[in-house]
Amino acid sequence: MPRRNHYDWMAKDKKYAAEVDEIEDVALDFGESQLHKLMNGYSVPDTKVFFNKEDPDSPIIVPLTKHIGPDPSSVIFFLKTKGKKRGFVERTQVEHSGAIGGVKVSIRKAKEKDGN
């Protein structure tokens, strides 16, 4: 099926477009859950294999749980994207309103992390 068909259906069929949006929301929800998992740390089942010198053909397999600690990069990413209102930004963001070259222009500097 050509990709163009999909875009045509998105433009013409509201029900189709709504279903595609729902699928995209499910994918986004999954990505967010994986990010939270990385931020919190998680556990996975694992095994450890021991070999007996006296009987090398009969290894001992021990089930265990492997603990993966929180990923600092995931926490930093989350704070940079969702924590901007609380000052977690690396650059100064300047917002302005009004006409450029006109009479009214107001400029506001984003708050720094320490509240200044």
Side-chain angles (χ1 to χ4, degrees), residues 10-21:
M10 288 289 291
K12 295 175 184 174
D13 187 341
K14 300 284 187 204
K15 185 176 179 184
Y16 178 82
E19 292 293 328
V20 170
D21 286 345

Side-chain angles (χ1 to χ4, degrees), residues 73-90:
S73 298
S74 297
V75 175
I76 292 167
F77 173 79
F78 178 81
L79 291 173
K80 284 181 182 179
T81 56
K82 296 291 188 178
K84 290 179 182 178
K85 292 184 282 189
R86 296 185 183 180
F88 290 97
V89 293
E90 287 190 355

Side-chain angles (χ1 to χ4, degrees), residues 94-108:
V94 178
E95 297 177 12
H96 73 85
S97 62
I100 296 178
V103 177
K104 180 182 177 187
V105 175
S106 69
I107 298 176
R108 180 175 63 106

Side-chain angles (χ1 to χ4, degrees), residues 31-112:
E32 286 178 346
S33 70
Q34 295 305 300
L35 177 60
H36 284 275
K37 180 178 175 180
L38 288 171
M39 290 183 345
N40 291 320
Y42 57 97
S43 299
V44 293
D46 201 0
T47 56
K48 179 85 173 176
V49 179
F50 297 94
F51 291 96
N52 185 345
K53 290 181 185 178
E54 297 169 7
D55 188 7
D57 293 330
S58 299
I60 300 170
I61 301 172
V62 179
L64 55 94
T65 301
K66 187 173 185 177
H67 299 284
I68 310 298
D71 176 35
S73 298
S74 297
V75 175
I76 292 167
F77 173 79
F78 178 81
L79 291 173
K80 284 181 182 179
T81 56
K82 296 291 188 178
K84 290 179 182 178
K85 292 184 282 189
R86 296 185 183 180
F88 290 97
V89 293
E90 287 190 355
R91 58 188 162 84
T92 301
Q93 294 179 329
V94 178
E95 297 177 12
H96 73 85
S97 62
I100 296 178
V103 177
K104 180 182 177 187
V105 175
S106 69
I107 298 176
R108 180 175 63 106
K109 182 178 177 185
K111 289 184 178 180
E112 297 294 325

